[in-house]
Amino acid sequence: MWNLVETILEVQENQHLHSDDWQRTIYIDTLGVKTTDFDLDRQRKEALVKSGKEFALKYFEWYDGADKPPANRP
């Protein structure tokens, strides 16, 4: 049953992305943590927060410094 739930969640995560969505999507390394991993220890949570900050900063550096402005840029 869990495998079915995980498959549905993975499909749902990727289904909403369209060809131009990459320009307005921050891809964050989830460090192998799945949507159904509920019992994360503090160290793993801190690693996820660090990963989120790192990839968000990389996105905004790209967004602000892109040679060709992203399509979603006002």
Side-chain angles (χ1 to χ4, degrees):
M1 187 65 169
W2 273 113
N3 289 338
L4 177 62
V5 170
E6 288 177 353
T7 301
I8 291 170
L9 291 173
E10 285 181 30
V11 168
Q12 185 179 16
E13 286 176 8
N14 297 325
Q15 188 174 19
H16 71 280
L17 297 178
H18 301 285
S19 61
D20 62 341
D21 286 342
W22 70 268
Q23 296 183 42
R24 60 175 173 250
T25 303
I26 299 175
Y27 293 94
I28 298 172
D29 184 355
T30 59
L31 309 173
V33 175
K34 296 180 181 179
T35 309
T36 54
D37 290 341
F38 299 113
D39 294 326
L40 299 176
D41 59 25
R42 183 180 181 141
Q43 184 179 14
R44 196 69 165 159
K45 290 177 188 178
E46 289 173 358
L48 286 169
V49 170
K50 182 179 177 183
S51 179
K53 287 179 182 179
E54 177 184 331
F55 281 84
L57 287 173
K58 284 181 182 181
Y59 172 83
F60 287 116
E61 286 174 10
W62 167 80
Y63 185 87
D64 291 337
D67 293 335
K68 180 180 175 187
N72 63 330
R73 190 173 185 171

